[in-house]
Amino acid sequence: MASIFTCNISPYVALNSGNKPRFGVKAQSLGGGDSTVWSSDAIVVNGTSFVGTKEKNGALIDGGCGEKVKNGALIDGGKNGRLNPRIEKRWVKEAVFKDLEVLWDDGHGTKTVKDYLDGAKEIIKPDGGPPRWFCPAECGKPIKDSPVLLFLPGLDGVGLGLALHHKALGKAFEVRCLHIPVNDRTTFEGLVKIVEETVRLEHASSPNKPIYLVGESFGACLALAVAARNPKIDLVLILVNPATSFSRSQLPLLPILEALPDGLHDVFPYLVGFVTGNPVKMAMANIEYKLPPRLQFQQLYHNLTALLPSVSVLSDIIPKETLIWRLKLLKSAAAYANSRLHAVKAEVLVLASGNDNLLPSKDEARHLKGSLKNCKVRYFKDNGHSMLVEDGLNLLTIIKGTCKYRRSRRLDLVSDFLPPSMSEFKCAFDEVTGLFRLATCSAVFSTLDDGKIVKGLAGVPDEGPVLFIGYHMLMGLEIYSLVEEFLREKNIMVRGIAHPDLFSEIMEGSSTEFSLSDWMKVMGAVPVTASNLFKLLSTKSHVLLYPGGQREALHYKGEAYKLFWPDQPEFVRMAARFGATIVPFGTVGEDDIAELALDYHDLMKIPIVNDFARDLISRSSRVRDESKGEVASTDLFVPGLLPKIPGRFYFLFGKPIKTTGMKEMLEDKENASQLYLHVKSEVQDSIAYLLKKREEDPYRSIIDRTIYRAFYSPLPEVPAFDP
């Protein structure tokens, strides 16, 4: 028997009869017996029945990389910018990002493992009763139609393993955490039934929503067991260093603990604490990345000295008898889960640590990826076993970057998109691409309605829908600076239309780290399909589209700044359908940071390398077929580049072209073609303008910019030429 609690009385509530909350608590019994009531006005529901479902398990991708592009074209120009009526009719969802501001506060970096230990100390006072669910008040109110997330703890059983992530996850999910009291001796099968009953109850209540099970270590075994027993329920499992590899652990905890004298048991939690986690990574969880090294060290020292006294609470959370019981429980849990892996049909995301001293987590991630039918892996080489309370990991960011967040059975990368938080913005553009942006130091210009060119983005409309049409530089290197500039200056999220391979298995591996491609998804990239463009414009988004696409980004020698666009006006009628403003833009600078040494033709002449290239081509997908001419002729390859002393990136956004009221006029193919050619001409003119004017920039070289920053300016403020 277990209970569900919804409480908003403190971040960590000791759910026991000795500490009754002052406000109402809602409880639901998940077993056939009576529910323990923790408040006089609690609602008790017994004898819950469950409704089965015949829906096929697993997420479907709506408008994702699986959608075919008819005749190789993004938009069928013969249908007046319209999609298949079935696509238009079925897409009626409300977009999440309307309920969540861009650069919202997710609370990441404000908590440390000390907060977890302090909360655990409170929640275990006096800790009687059965296992039960609680909702941390820090999670707050989630956005509309949020799915349920059930957290299944590790051996500690406290249920506060997501303490550093409560505020962020609370926006996207209805978070509930399982608490297993210190003296509880429920068997593994009993815990499986508790979680299973909750899952079935939630599924009966919202059969079209996924249910997320986040399992840490022991909790991962619990999640796998529940998924194996309920293959028809839509589950998403997030397994953090799963203990299914417990039998291969290099640290024999159980024999050591049983042989340990009682007088030394108080020392054991300290040893286990340092084995299972990285103390330095834990202490760095709230240290600002941009602080000077001296201040970072001071704060790290303060956090470590504050953390050590709190570690003693581990002996209260898991006294010797409890720890022995739970280690035996873990052994049976691992055996139970491993014997049923073949029955797991759910989506699975495995997060594995590289410095896990307790379990062989990296090897186990490979094993699970090969054993489970729908499994992704993300590998964190610098983290320890208790990675959820360590620095460098934001669970919501990982869920978003691996395309695991959805509010229904169908994954919709437009309506389910969660805009980046401020912490994600800082991490993506300061830590991940910070050095690259520092080296290229983009100079951005835009054109006002009267034709005047000004520095900055004043000429770009704030209100959508806006469609940016431009030139794709080598390797798409301009994207990071472009998205960052709009977020920093105008607080606008630019949604990029990306190659489908970014979302396919071609990017996956058995030990894939959270990479730049994942960050592109966090920042709003979607696969290039007609339906995705339709959805983005219908939600008044700012959309980035490259008609030249892969052909421009992977061009050959001597083709820099040359446009490779299709002959037909792919985007014009779709823009007019929604009255979108088209903003043509040019960008230059690829030849200032690297020289293209080996293009596709060169690579195909090199033995072994050409085999690798052919394998990559065979696994990649084509957005356009060969009937579309030169724009469709490029195969996917990785060019060989020779770095240069960095110059600078330049952007010029042309005069906005409004299509409001032009829908009927653009139904005529000739009119649509004229507007298409006009946009193309504007892009070419912008490129020519920048190539000429950059010669007048006194700070084009990184050497000159470095000297300027040292004497005059903070990081973002380096002048360029006068427009």
Side-chain angles (χ1 to χ4, degrees):
M1 180 184 70
S3 300
I4 297 177
F5 293 84
T6 304
C7 38
N8 53 359
I9 50 182
S10 74
Y12 309 114
V13 183
L15 300 177
N16 52 70
S17 54
N19 282 345
K20 292 186 178 181
R22 290 182 292 175
F23 302 101
V25 177
K26 183 177 179 180
Q28 290 183 330
S29 171
L30 298 179
D34 292 335
S35 171
T36 304
V37 179
W38 305 113
S39 177
S40 59
D41 56 351
I43 301 172
V44 181
V45 181
N46 291 319
T48 305
S49 61
F50 304 104
V51 181
T53 178
K54 293 185 178 180
E55 296 181 12
K56 185 178 179 181
N57 183 66
L60 302 175
I61 299 180
D62 185 8
C65 55
E67 181 179 335
K68 299 293 185 181
V69 182
K70 186 174 182 181
N71 297 327
L74 177 64
I75 304 297
D76 185 353
K79 294 188 178 181
N80 303 325
R82 294 184 65 87
L83 296 174
N84 185 308
R86 290 185 301 142
I87 297 177
E88 294 188 18
K89 194 172 183 180
R90 76 186 180 194
W91 198 76
V92 294
K93 291 184 181 180
E94 292 186 30
V96 167
F97 55 84
K98 291 185 177 180
D99 300 327
L100 204 56
E101 294 180 355
V102 176
L103 304 185
W104 54 285
D105 179 16
D106 65 359
H108 186 70
T110 59
K111 300 288 184 180
T112 67
V113 68
K114 185 179 183 300
D115 296 284
Y116 158 78
L117 294 171
D118 291 344
K121 186 176 181 180
E122 294 298 319
I123 203 172
I124 63 174
K125 293 179 182 177
D127 205 13
R132 59 258 193 188
W133 301 98
F134 69 95
C135 303
E138 280 184 336
C139 291
K141 182 181 178 181
I143 56 179
K144 185 179 179 181
D145 295 328
S146 297
V148 169
L149 184 149
L150 304 177
F151 175 66
L152 311 178
L155 278 184
D156 63 295
V158 175
L160 294 177
L162 296 178
L164 277 62
H165 310 270
H166 281 160
K167 187 172 181 179
L169 292 174
K171 282 291 186 182
F173 299 96
E174 294 180 21
V175 179
R176 298 175 193 169
C177 305
L178 180 64
H179 174 65
I180 305 173
V182 172
N183 297 315
D184 180 75
R185 296 296 182 263
T186 304
T187 63
F188 180 71
E189 289 80 2
L191 293 173
V192 170
K193 289 180 179 179
I194 288 172
V195 179
E196 182 177 62
E197 289 176 354
T198 304
V199 165
R200 291 179 177 177
L201 178 63
E202 289 299 329
H203 178 67
S205 174
S206 302
N208 294 320
K209 286 185 182 180
I211 299 170
Y212 286 74
L213 300 181
V214 178
E216 180 184 23
S217 189
F218 167 77
C221 297
L222 198 53
L224 285 167
V226 172
R229 290 162 58 104
N230 297 273
K232 293 185 178 180
I233 296 180
D234 185 11
L235 298 174
V236 180
L237 309 186
I238 301 172
L239 311 180
V240 183
N241 290 327
T244 44
S245 62
F246 181 67
S247 62
R248 305 195 306 276
S249 174
Q250 297 179 351
L251 189 64
L253 289 178
L254 190 56
I256 293 175
L257 185 61
E258 290 177 330
L260 193 69
D262 292 338
L264 295 178
H265 177 69
D266 289 342
V267 180
F268 194 75
Y270 290 91
L271 299 177
V272 173
F274 284 99
V275 167
T276 58
N278 184 329
V280 175
K281 295 282 286 185
M282 291 178 178
M284 291 182 64
N286 66 342
I287 297 179
E288 180 68 33
Y289 169 77
K290 283 190 171 182
L291 284 177
R294 180 179 60 84
L295 295 180
Q296 287 190 26
F297 180 79
Q298 287 180 356
Q299 190 168 345
L300 174 62
Y301 176 79
H302 171 77
N303 288 350
L304 282 172
T305 54
L307 171 62
L308 289 175
S310 300
V311 176
S312 61
V313 76
L314 289 174
S315 61
D316 298 323
I317 297 173
I318 41 175
K320 181 177 179 180
E321 296 77 12
T322 299
L323 186 53
I324 292 175
W325 164 260
R326 289 185 179 170
L327 286 172
K328 293 178 179 178
L329 196 66
L330 178 56
K331 185 177 180 180
S332 64
Y336 187 102
N338 281 316
S339 67
R340 290 163 174 78
L341 290 179
H342 64 279
V344 176
K345 309 297 182 185
E347 283 186 80
V348 180
L349 173 63
V350 179
L351 309 182
S353 296
N355 286 333
D356 190 341
N357 297 318
L358 186 61
L359 298 171
S361 293
K362 184 177 180 180
D363 292 338
E364 184 62 13
R366 293 195 189 101
H367 169 249
L368 291 175
K369 184 172 176 62
S371 302
L372 299 172
K373 297 178 181 179
N374 187 5
C375 180
K376 284 186 177 181
V377 171
R378 288 298 178 270
Y379 173 57
F380 300 86
K381 62 180 181 180
D382 297 324
N383 289 89
H385 183 73
S386 303
M387 67 162 73
L388 290 177
V389 291
E390 294 181 0
D391 176 48
L393 188 140
N394 185 329
L395 185 57
L396 182 59
T397 302
I398 295 168
I399 293 172
K400 291 161 60 177
T402 51
C403 295
K404 291 299 181 185
Y405 183 76
R406 53 189 173 90
R407 297 180 296 160
S408 65
R409 280 194 169 275
R410 187 177 296 275
L411 172 61
D412 192 309
L413 295 172
V414 176
S415 65
D416 289 333
F417 173 66
L418 297 172
S421 65
M422 180 56 76
S423 73
E424 289 171 337
F425 172 79
K426 290 179 179 178
C427 185
F429 297 112
D430 290 341
E431 299 180 37
V432 179
T433 63
L435 288 177
F436 178 77
R437 292 190 310 100
L438 178 66
T440 56
C441 189
S442 298
V444 181
F445 303 87
S446 60
T447 309
L448 303 178
D449 288 336
D450 60 3
K452 181 181 179 181
I453 298 176
V454 296
K455 191 167 186 350
L457 296 170
V460 177
D462 293 333
E463 298 296 325
V466 174
L467 185 59
F468 298 106
I469 303 294
Y471 168 70
H472 215 359
M473 279 206 301
L474 184 64
M475 299 289 290
L477 296 174
E478 80 285 353
I479 293 176
Y480 317 115
S481 298
L482 188 152
V483 173
E484 187 263 347
E485 287 292 337
F486 273 91
L487 284 170
R488 190 181 300 276
E489 182 175 335
K490 297 179 79 74
N491 204 40
I492 288 176
M493 185 73 246
V494 175
R495 305 294 305 275
I497 304 290
H499 195 281
D501 284 345
L502 183 69
F503 303 83
S504 70
E505 287 296 318
I506 196 174
M507 304 296 292
E508 296 293 328
S510 60
S511 59
T512 304
E513 296 186 30
F514 196 80
S515 63
L516 199 56
S517 62
D518 293 319
W519 276 108
M520 291 178 69
K521 299 165 195 172
V522 172
M523 292 297 156
V526 298
V528 55
T529 66
S531 62
N532 279 339
L533 181 59
F534 172 90
K535 294 171 187 179
L536 288 170
L537 293 178
S538 69
T539 53
K540 301 186 183 301
S541 301
H542 287 66
V543 186
L544 176 62
L545 177 65
Y546 295 104
Q550 178 180 320
R551 180 63 182 88
E552 288 177 357
L554 298 178
H555 62 70
Y556 307 143
K557 292 178 180 178
E559 294 180 343
Y561 308 123
K562 182 179 179 181
L563 301 187
F564 294 93
W565 287 20
D567 295 330
Q568 69 276 14
E570 293 187 332
F571 56 83
V572 169
R573 285 174 174 167
M574 184 69 83
R577 173 176 172 78
F578 295 98
T581 301
I582 299 174
V583 180
F585 74 93
T587 177
V588 303
E590 65 176 69
D591 55 339
D592 261 3
I593 64 168
E595 178 183 349
L596 180 56
L598 297 173
D599 63 12
Y600 174 77
H601 301 298
D602 297 322
L603 294 173
M604 297 307 291
K605 297 175 183 177
I606 304 175
I608 301 177
V609 175
N610 56 15
D611 292 334
F612 172 79
R614 290 190 186 97
D615 178 67
L616 185 63
I617 292 167
S618 67
R619 291 185 290 118
S620 63
S621 55
R622 285 186 177 273
V623 176
R624 297 180 173 93
D625 61 34
E626 294 181 1
S627 66
K628 297 303 164 184
E630 184 67 22
V631 70
S633 65
T634 299
D635 291 312
L636 187 64
F637 70 98
V638 180
L641 303 179
L642 289 178
K644 295 181 178 180
I645 296 176
R648 197 171 194 178
F649 283 175
Y650 300 87
F651 294 85
L652 173 58
F653 292 89
K655 183 178 178 180
I657 302 170
K658 298 180 180 179
T659 64
T660 305
M662 298 176 64
K663 181 181 176 182
E664 292 185 3
M665 184 188 76
L666 292 177
E667 288 179 358
D668 181 78
K669 288 186 178 181
E670 185 175 345
N671 291 335
S673 181
Q674 287 179 358
L675 180 56
Y676 180 75
L677 293 175
H678 173 65
V679 173
K680 184 176 182 179
S681 175
E682 288 291 306
V683 173
Q684 291 171 325
D685 291 345
S686 296
I687 293 173
Y689 174 87
L690 292 173
L691 288 174
K692 179 181 178 181
K693 293 292 288 185
R694 72 176 178 177
E695 302 295 335
E696 304 174 11
D697 185 2
Y699 303 105
R700 180 177 172 182
S701 168
I702 190 173
I703 298 174
D704 296 320
R705 293 196 301 273
T706 302
I707 295 173
Y708 181 89
R709 285 195 184 103
F711 287 95
Y712 301 107
S713 172
L715 181 63
E717 303 296 332
V718 178
F721 58 78
D722 293 326

